[in-house]
Each structure stands twice: as C-alpha cells, then as structure tokens.
Amino acid sequence: MRLFITTLSLFCVISFGYALAGYGSSLFGNPINLEYVFGGLIGGFFFGGLAMFLWYRHRKDFFDYEDDNNSQA
C-alpha cells in the first residue's frame, strides 16, 4: 500500500507539472494550452486527494508505535 500511495503522490506532482507547462507556454509566445492546464489541475487534485484518502485510511500501518513502546520497557 505504501508503494501505491507513493505512486499516486508522484502522479499528483506530474499532473500539476502538466498544468504549469500548459500555462507556462505563454512565456515562449504560444497561447495558453487550456487542455494541459485543466487536465493537469483535475488530475493533480484527483491523484492527490486519492493519495491523502488512502493514507488516512491506512495511517495506522505507517505509524505503528506499539512495538517501540513495548520493547523499551
């Protein structure tokens, strides 16, 4: 599950990068590519929200401190 959530987070960053690329094309004299901007924003929020939701549901798997507390006693 950790690898899947990390992959979703990576897709989120890539999608927001597409949105920035669509908007940044105006720096080179091209019109703003709205397909990249809206697709990147929608994909970024979707993948980011899904990663956060799955992380929230499985956060006990990531932060299991019971074994650490028992081994110190």
Side-chain angles (χ1 to χ4, degrees), residues 2-72:
R2 291 181 185 184
L3 182 62
F4 184 64
I5 292 172
T6 303
T7 306
L8 286 174
S9 300
L10 183 65
F11 286 158
C12 172
V13 171
I14 290 171
S15 296
F16 282 129
Y18 269 96
L20 285 174
Y23 185 71
S25 66
S26 63
L27 294 174
F28 299 107
N30 298 328
I32 295 174
N33 193 346
L34 293 178
E35 292 177 6
Y36 273 28
V37 172
F38 289 125
L41 288 175
I42 291 169
F45 283 119
F46 173 74
F47 288 126
L50 186 59
M52 295 277 294
F53 174 74
L54 289 175
W55 176 82
Y56 181 76
R57 297 263 314 210
H58 297 280
R59 69 186 183 278
K60 292 180 183 177
D61 298 337
F62 298 118
F63 302 112
D64 188 21
Y65 293 115
E66 291 180 15
D67 294 335
D68 293 339
N69 292 336
N70 291 335
S71 65
Q72 291 176 358

